[in-house]
Amino acid sequence: MLHGRLDALRTQAQQRLATALRQTGGTPQARSERESAVALHGDRIALYDAVDNGLCFGRLDLIDGTNRYIGRIGLFDDEGDYEPLLIDWRAPAARPFYLATAAAPDGVRRRRHIRSRLRTVTAIDDELLDIELARDQPGSLLTGEAALLAAITAGRTGRMKDIVQTIQAEQDEVIRAPVDGVLVVQGGPGTGKTAVALHRAAYLLYTHRRELSSRGVLVVGPNATFLRYIAQVLPSLAETGVLLRTPGDLFPGVTARRAESAPVAEIKGRAVMADVIAAAVRDRQEVPSDTVLIDVDGHVLRLTPQICLDAREHTRRSGRLHNLARPLFDTEVVHALAAQIAEEIDVDPYADDPLGGDDAPGDPQVLADADLADIRRELRADPAVQTALDRYWPVLTPQRLLSDLYASTERLAAAATGHLDPSEHDLLWRAPGGGWTPADVALLDEAAELLGVDESAQRARTEQQRQRRLAYAEEALDVLRGSESIDVEDEAEPEILGATDVVDAAALASRQQETDHRTAAERAAADRRWAFGHVVVDEAQELSAMAWRLLMRRCPSRSMTIVGDVAQTGTLAGAASWSELLAPYVADRWRLAELAVSYRTPAEILTVAARVLAAIDPTAAVPVAVRESGVAPRWERVDDGGRLAGRLVELVRQELPEVGGGRLGVIVPAGTAAELGAAVDESVAEVALGDQPDLTATVVVLTVAQAKGLEFDSVLVVDPARILAESPRGHNDLYVALTRATARLGVLYSGDLPAVLADPG
């Protein structure tokens, strides 16, 4: 019945979509309404398709004898009293499905977990929460672990699955936490941080639809591979309007994928780079070292350093952003140059017109205000004057400011002296071109904040378009007026209203204006100044101080969910503590929620990872594993380091039968990723590697940075000593690598194991 109702809704939406698509022509308003209908019904069809698989996943049998079916969306009977057929998992009525226990049943007698594949039920697990009834059925489950363990041990597909059927109590508390303020979700490997964050985004959109649908929700993940991995979760939870972005995609028009060294990225991520960018902007407000001669129609004007200095100081005192202040600078300089012409005229009142007029020699020159205005206007339009103005106060894009800064040792020294060591200036230098790095994006955004955008030209174009529409509307109304009968012989007849009596030109012109039918997410993606209603940041410990400045600008309300684990921080610019990260923005006004149970990582693997965690932070607690896999981690030593690639290929082949239909992750040092990846790719089928590997492949070869937030059925970690050595935070990287597996872990190494892994047992 539930799928029948869903099919009926889908058919209804398809019919309405087809009707809208068949309509053509019409008034601008009719076309706008048609486009809105097409977008609306298209989105609904996509929603119904996304929630079809696993539509209903639970049932609550209540003590009062009634039942509630729990699912991905709410469905109602379209007959009678519009009774609920299926309760949305986010609704308050569904919460006992996640929180009820035998000790606190919350009116629930039995909770049923329904597992299905497409529309076929594959398993049913019941939990009896009524103790008396459980005594009569001693074989019934009381702990509710069957559905959870089935989901955990199921083979990976290369795409993250939602946990809507198996949300645990500690996770539910985080998901349904108030939307206000900053919530930090700290959790170790396998605790479900990412899943909780995504389900929280879906819950907030459901609960605060009016507030968040117009402003949108932004989800930030560490890289493009990760975003592809989680891309299907929110649609499966009935939310399709969330914007997913990496830190390298947060500046409209820029997709930052260029690689750079960790030390350079660390420098760019420092908070002090805000001062460097500000100094770089001021450095472009130049003063010539000597007087510049400007020839205007054969008349030589003198642009002195003092003129530019006075104009610069006056302009800076205005407090305007760099590009918005340019007209003030122009005015000051042009007035000074015009004064030189006026002075020469006063000295020689019978001289020829200095601007090339037709007055005869000897005619007196009276320089009135109107004459001065003409001189200034002609000076402002003169190419030579414009060239000088562009040189000493250029209109800049963020891209030009940053590329010019990187490409000039002189500009770097001028902007960075006092903020960075001289040796660090050299690290920032690079030739123009080659694209942007993720660390550049926050600097571009900082530059945009300081430069500003002069929108006067856009406003002028908009006004011209409005005037054209108004003129067209006036002409159309004139035609209508001409067609109306003016031969009214019987004045006793009631007055007949015409089109011109009920609409004026302004109203008609407004209907010609095109409507923006983009979703909030689409509009937000194109607008750097967009303020999101809520921001979710996953792997948040990796972001630099400059990246956080950017994100805080995107969310002035500070309604944020920050998800991560400081023990897994791999980047040099990343967070050492949450309090240190948030202090500049919210002081101590933030909430901490800790996830302490690892559902993904079995106890055997966490025992190994615990030794690495102790080296990172001896006070940190290892997550508690909910299960044992029964498979101890495998350790293999290769005496000859040159045989590492060959032995890796053999191990991959041996592991594939164990993986079955799941996924095998091979995590390698960044320095040998190309070599080891090529060896595996040449010898094994269905291998993915490279900058953005396809996670649906059976075998995926990737670095630690690429593996963050991902999971595989089986993992082979290669050369842990080199993983440790490649970064000052090598222990953090090794901790990440060792905790990606849901079932089996193998470690391949040459020489001796790092001390932190010695005596693997």
Side-chain angles (χ1 to χ4, degrees):
M1 183 172 70
L2 295 175
H3 282 288
R5 179 62 180 142
L6 186 69
D7 289 340
L9 290 171
R10 183 190 287 108
T11 300
Q12 183 182 74
Q14 289 170 339
Q15 291 172 345
R16 291 178 176 175
L17 176 62
T19 299
L21 290 172
R22 283 196 298 268
Q23 297 173 353
T24 58
T27 65
Q29 181 176 355
R31 292 196 297 271
S32 174
E33 291 173 351
R34 180 176 67 249
E35 291 170 1
S36 296
V38 169
L40 172 64
H41 299 306
D43 288 344
R44 286 184 175 175
I45 293 169
L47 168 64
Y48 298 145
D49 289 341
V51 301
D52 198 351
N53 186 20
L55 174 64
C56 174
F57 53 80
R59 190 182 78 187
L60 294 174
D61 297 344
L62 305 182
I63 293 174
D64 63 9
T66 61
N67 300 326
R68 297 177 191 168
Y69 284 92
I70 313 300
R72 297 180 179 279
I73 60 172
L75 292 177
F76 297 86
D77 189 349
D78 62 346
E79 300 177 359
D81 297 329
Y82 203 61
E83 289 294 323
L85 301 175
L86 187 67
I87 295 175
D88 192 299
W89 68 275
R90 297 165 288 190
R95 199 169 190 195
F97 185 78
Y98 303 109
L99 297 185
T101 64
D106 199 12
V108 178
R109 180 175 61 89
R110 177 170 57 188
R111 172 169 47 211
R112 169 164 289 181
H113 293 268
I114 303 170
R115 282 179 274 157
S116 61
R117 182 175 178 81
L118 299 178
R119 296 190 175 191
T120 302
V121 175
T122 59
I124 292 176
D125 300 305
D126 285 345
E127 304 171 55
L128 292 177
L129 306 183
D130 185 324
I131 299 298
E132 295 301 321
L133 184 59
R135 287 174 182 156
D136 297 333
Q137 302 182 38
S140 300
L141 294 171
L142 289 172
T143 60
E145 293 182 353
L148 173 62
L149 293 177
I152 292 171
T153 57
R156 306 299 102 175
T157 64
R159 292 290 181 265
M160 188 178 191
K161 301 175 183 177
D162 63 68
I163 60 168
V164 66
Q165 304 177 52
T166 58
I167 294 171
Q168 301 300 295
E170 67 165 0
Q171 296 172 329
D172 186 80
E173 291 292 336
V174 174
I175 290 169
R176 299 175 191 263
V179 67
D180 303 355
V182 175
L183 174 66
V184 175
V185 183
Q186 162 74 34
T191 54
K193 300 184 298 298
T194 297
V196 166
L198 296 174
H199 286 67
R200 175 164 168 75
Y203 169 78
L204 293 178
L205 280 164
Y206 173 86
T207 309
H208 305 279
R209 181 75 62 187
R210 179 177 298 178
E211 299 90 334
L212 296 182
S213 60
S214 60
R215 299 312 307 165
V217 172
L218 171 66
V219 174
V220 180
N223 52 57
T225 301
F226 177 85
L227 292 188
R228 288 199 306 276
Y229 175 63
I230 68 171
Q232 296 305 311
V233 174
L234 283 165
S236 73
L237 298 174
E239 296 298 343
T240 57
V242 175
L243 182 64
L244 303 179
R245 285 291 184 269
T246 72
D249 301 324
L250 290 175
F251 192 86
V254 170
T255 300
R257 296 291 184 267
R258 178 174 177 170
E260 66 184 345
S261 68
V264 174
E266 186 274 329
I267 294 171
K268 292 179 179 179
R270 296 178 193 171
V272 74
M273 285 300 294
D275 297 324
V276 174
I277 297 299
V281 173
R282 292 174 67 86
D283 183 54
R284 301 305 293 269
Q285 300 163 4
E286 299 182 29
V287 172
S289 56
D290 296 310
T291 297
V292 177
L293 302 180
I294 303 175
D295 189 333
V296 179
D297 292 332
H299 192 87
V300 178
L301 302 178
R302 303 175 74 252
L303 180 60
T304 66
Q306 192 62 46
I307 290 175
C308 287
L309 182 62
D310 292 343
R312 184 176 72 176
E313 294 308 309
H314 177 83
T315 304
R316 285 179 174 176
R317 284 196 298 270
S318 72
R320 296 185 186 181
L321 300 179
H322 175 87
N323 289 336
L324 303 183
R326 166 65 185 267
L328 290 180
F329 181 79
D330 289 2
T331 297
E332 292 298 310
V333 172
V334 166
H335 278 217
L337 296 179
Q340 294 181 20
I341 295 176
E343 182 180 356
E344 291 188 9
I345 293 174
D346 289 340
V347 170
D348 187 2
Y350 296 100
D352 293 343
D353 182 353
L355 294 180
D358 296 330
D359 294 328
D363 289 344
Q365 302 295 308
V366 179
L367 206 58
D369 289 344
D371 299 319
L372 271 175
D374 288 340
I375 293 172
R376 291 166 181 163
R377 186 165 47 253
E378 293 190 27
L379 284 174
R380 196 182 298 271
D382 186 87
V385 175
Q386 277 297 316
T387 298
L389 294 172
D390 288 340
R391 177 177 178 181
Y392 299 117
W393 196 291
V395 173
L396 298 167
T397 64
Q399 291 90 328
R400 180 184 167 190
L401 176 77
L402 209 58
S403 60
D404 288 353
L405 177 66
Y406 289 154
S408 170
T409 55
E410 292 81 6
R411 293 195 187 282
L412 280 170
T417 297
H419 305 298
L420 301 175
D421 291 333
S423 61
E424 294 172 332
H425 303 178
D426 297 335
L427 286 175
L428 290 177
W429 183 92
R430 76 180 189 208
W436 300 103
T437 72
D440 290 330
V441 167
L443 303 185
L444 290 170
D445 197 73
E446 190 74 27
E449 282 291 299
L450 298 174
L451 293 173
V453 178
D454 186 356
E455 297 179 337
S456 57
Q458 179 60 43
R459 287 195 297 268
R461 287 193 294 271
T462 301
E463 178 61 21
Q464 289 175 355
Q465 293 171 356
R466 191 188 72 83
Q467 291 295 338
R468 283 197 295 269
R469 289 195 301 269
L470 189 62
Y472 178 82
E474 289 282 10
E475 292 176 4
L477 290 177
D478 287 344
V479 172
L480 288 175
R481 292 189 189 99
S483 64
E484 294 174 355
S485 174
I486 59 174
D487 184 15
V488 182
E489 297 184 2
D490 187 357
E491 295 182 358
E493 288 288 328
E495 182 178 357
I496 300 175
L497 294 178
T500 57
D501 297 310
V502 296
V503 65
D504 59 13
L508 184 59
S510 66
R511 295 185 179 183
Q512 300 172 7
Q513 188 171 358
E514 293 184 3
T515 304
D516 189 350
H517 295 294
R518 294 176 299 171
T519 65
E522 290 169 337
R523 286 181 282 124
D527 186 354
R528 192 193 70 82
R529 293 174 295 181
W530 188 273
F532 288 92
H534 192 79
V535 172
V536 176
V537 187
D538 201 355
E539 299 294 337
Q541 74 278 355
E542 301 298 333
L543 297 188
S544 69
M546 289 302 297
W548 281 109
R549 285 175 65 90
L550 180 155
L551 285 175
M552 292 297 174
R553 283 194 283 267
R554 299 293 191 274
C555 192
S557 68
R558 302 295 189 262
S559 176
M560 307 179 81
T561 302
I562 296 173
V563 182
D565 179 11
V566 291
Q568 297 185 56
T569 303
T571 59
L572 293 177
S577 72
W578 299 120
S579 57
E580 177 184 321
L581 182 157
L582 293 171
Y585 308 105
V586 294
D588 59 353
R589 298 184 303 277
W590 54 278
R591 313 186 304 278
L592 175 66
E594 296 190 73
L595 299 176
V597 178
S598 179
Y599 303 98
R600 177 188 72 213
T601 312
E604 295 89 342
I605 295 176
L606 280 180
T607 299
V608 175
R611 296 200 292 271
V612 183
L613 180 60
I616 299 170
D617 181 1
T619 65
V622 181
V624 178
V626 299
R627 65 191 174 97
E628 295 180 352
S629 66
V631 181
R634 176 179 180 179
W635 305 81
E636 180 155 342
R637 181 177 183 273
V638 176
D639 293 330
D640 180 4
R643 294 188 58 250
L644 204 62
R647 184 54 184 154
L648 173 60
V649 171
E650 294 172 1
L651 287 180
V652 169
R653 288 173 173 166
Q654 293 174 16
E655 193 65 24
L656 283 177
E658 301 294 339
V659 173
R663 300 293 178 269
L664 169 61
V666 181
I667 302 179
V668 299
T672 57
E675 174 193 349
L676 296 176
V680 175
D681 190 34
E682 289 174 3
S683 306
V684 179
E686 293 189 58
V687 176
L689 61 159
D691 293 338
Q692 298 184 30
D694 179 6
L695 298 180
T696 63
T698 303
V699 180
V700 184
V701 182
L702 66 175
T703 65
V704 176
Q706 293 174 311
K708 284 185 179 293
L710 307 182
E711 61 184 18
F712 303 90
D713 298 273
S714 182
V715 168
L716 293 174
V717 176
V718 183
D719 201 353
R722 183 155 183 169
I723 290 176
L724 276 173
E726 282 186 337
S727 168
R729 287 183 168 167
H731 284 95
N732 303 62
D733 285 349
L734 185 57
Y735 184 59
V736 171
L738 293 170
T739 54
R740 299 303 96 195
T742 66
R744 299 167 60 86
L745 171 66
V747 178
L748 177 64
Y749 62 100
S750 62
D752 295 328
L753 272 174
V756 72
L757 293 180
D759 188 24

